Amino acid sequence: MNRTSLEKRSRRQMNNNGMLLLITIALFIVMYVAGCLVYSDKGFDHFQTFINILINNSGLICVACGMTAVMLTGGIDISVGALIAMDCMFLAVGIETRGVPAPYLMAEVLLIGVVFGFVQGFCVGYLDIQPFIVTMAGMFFARGMTAMISTQQVTIKSSEFFVGLANLKIWMPFEIGAYMNNKGKLMVPYLRLPVIIALVVLIAVFLLLRYTKFGRSLYAVGGNQQSAALMGLDVKKTRLKAYMLSSFLCSIGGICYCLNTMAGTTTQATGLEMDAISSAVIGGTLLTGGVGNVFGSFFGVLINGTISSLVKTNGKLMSSWANVVSAMLLCFFIVLQAVFAKLKERSKR
């Protein structure tokens, strides 16, 4: 097999989840429109409500993009939540206790992500250790390091630069989505910086996966590692880079997460790895690898965010209902993936 056949095969794999992606998008639209109709009296139909979903999940969007890249190779990364907690604590303690300028700390956080991903990727790619075991060790390490940095909650207050970034409002042009509140005041929707960062990451990763050799290699390795090796691909190096990319994007997500919370705690981002995995699966990324799309993962994040927002808007439901509904959707999409896989096998016969 030559590189031309590799490109054709990887492009077919990139397009294989088209139906799953359409189902995900349709589900989000139906769910959000239903919420607007049912809770219009509580302001759910305001454009700012949708933007708030993006703001609250900006860090998760970055993490889900990295998780998608790893899952495309047939791997998994359950260390992302712990890495975000370590990043936030590192930033909080560095700014408040040690007085280190925030820009330097943010650059160090990105470097930590690259090194963290390199170690995990080397163990998975070159030592051929199971990804779940490697990333579980990474999860314990990051959680332990978070507690070693500080066991107390540290709130960021002293850095004018970091606080300024967190409080920055980017108003919608031409008053798009503006509405009058109960007091007759015009409310213009606004974005926060983490949303801009998350959307830039989303577009950049989409282009990376779609139009670069590395992106096509991820699909090929996830589709069949032996075939990818016969095509001349360096499977070990590709898997290494996938985990480096995941941890790097996770560190970007950690900065976004810290800009939203303005604090570092040992329990921060607990369970976020499951949110990232479920968002990717709901978005059409196969657990076995080879098929997926970051825009699908993005809509998976929006679905989970909408569920949480609906539960909060209702005001009478326990917050755990969001987890229950998300779990049901995850099971539904896993079964749906299995059904599509069976139909695909039958069509080949």
Side-chain angles (χ1 to χ4, degrees):
M1 294 185 182
N2 53 30
R3 290 301 173 89
T4 303
S5 61
L6 165 62
E7 292 183 4
K8 291 181 179 179
R9 178 175 179 174
S10 59
R11 289 188 184 278
R12 284 198 304 269
Q13 290 170 327
M14 283 187 281
N15 293 325
N16 275 344
N17 69 331
M19 183 59 67
L20 289 172
L21 178 59
L22 289 176
I23 293 174
T24 302
I25 295 173
L27 177 62
F28 165 70
I29 293 174
V30 170
M31 186 180 297
Y32 192 82
V33 170
C36 291
L37 295 175
V38 175
Y39 297 114
S40 60
D41 58 328
K42 296 185 177 181
F44 193 86
D45 56 345
H46 294 160
F47 187 46
Q48 186 64 55
T49 301
F50 173 74
I51 295 178
N52 287 340
I53 294 175
L54 292 177
I55 293 174
N56 296 333
N57 294 279
S58 55
L60 180 57
I61 292 172
C62 297
V63 175
C65 288
M67 185 67 72
T68 302
V70 167
M71 290 176 65
L72 284 175
T73 66
I76 202 76
D77 188 352
I78 64 171
S79 68
V80 292
L83 180 56
I84 280 187
M86 185 173 70
D87 290 340
C88 291
M89 186 66 80
F90 183 82
L91 286 168
V93 171
I95 291 173
E96 293 299 317
T97 305
R98 301 177 183 176
V100 181
Y104 292 106
L105 290 172
M106 293 165 71
E108 289 179 13
V109 162
L110 297 180
L111 180 60
I112 289 172
V114 173
V115 174
F116 193 87
F118 176 83
V119 173
Q120 292 195 140
F122 182 83
C123 292
V124 172
Y126 286 86
L127 301 183
D128 203 26
I129 305 175
Q130 286 293 326
F132 182 84
I133 300 299
V134 171
T135 56
M136 182 173 65
M139 177 183 67
F140 289 144
F141 173 81
R143 286 291 177 190
M145 286 299 300
T146 303
M148 288 183 66
I149 296 172
S150 177
T151 57
Q152 305 296 321
Q153 177 174 327
V154 182
T155 303
I156 300 174
K157 299 177 180 178
S158 61
S159 173
E160 293 183 3
F161 176 80
F162 202 82
V163 173
L165 291 180
N167 293 331
L168 179 64
K169 292 183 178 179
I170 304 170
W171 302 98
M172 296 299 295
F174 311 111
E175 299 182 351
I176 297 174
Y179 64 94
M180 303 295 291
N181 64 8
N182 295 332
K183 297 180 179 180
K185 183 180 178 181
L186 182 65
M187 305 297 293
V188 180
Y190 60 87
L191 295 170
R192 296 283 190 182
L193 181 61
V195 176
I196 303 300
I197 296 174
L199 295 179
V200 169
V201 166
L202 176 69
I203 295 172
V205 176
F206 172 77
L207 295 176
L208 176 72
L209 296 180
R210 187 80 182 184
Y211 298 107
T212 67
K213 175 185 173 182
F214 170 63
R216 293 189 292 270
S217 298
L218 292 177
Y219 285 95
V221 169
N224 190 309
Q225 289 191 24
Q226 293 182 344
S227 297
L230 292 174
M231 292 176 189
L233 291 178
D234 191 334
V235 175
K236 295 180 178 180
K237 190 175 181 179
T238 300
R239 298 177 77 188
L240 168 66
K241 289 182 177 180
Y243 283 89
M244 289 180 66
L245 176 63
S246 175
S247 294
F248 176 72
L249 295 180
C250 183
S251 288
I252 295 178
I255 294 173
C256 294
Y257 200 95
C258 196
L259 286 170
N260 283 335
T261 61
M262 293 300 290
T265 66
T266 55
T267 58
Q268 210 158 22
T270 301
L272 186 134
E273 59 277 355
M274 296 298 106
D275 293 334
I277 293 171
S278 66
S279 296
V281 172
I282 290 173
T285 303
L286 295 184
L287 292 169
T288 53
V291 176
N293 188 299
V294 288
F295 277 111
S297 301
F298 171 70
F299 279 98
V301 171
L302 290 182
I303 287 174
N304 285 327
T306 301
I307 293 171
S308 298
S309 183
L310 287 171
V311 170
K312 291 178 182 178
T313 303
N314 179 276
K316 297 180 181 179
L317 297 174
M318 296 176 60
S319 59
S320 55
W321 272 105
N323 295 329
V324 172
V325 176
S326 296
M328 293 172 62
L329 281 177
L330 178 60
C331 293
F332 169 75
F333 275 91
I334 290 175
V335 172
L336 197 62
Q337 288 182 3
V339 170
F340 274 104
K342 292 292 184 181
L343 292 176
K344 184 180 176 181
E345 288 180 4
R346 291 183 178 181
S347 64
K348 289 181 178 180
R349 296 175 182 175

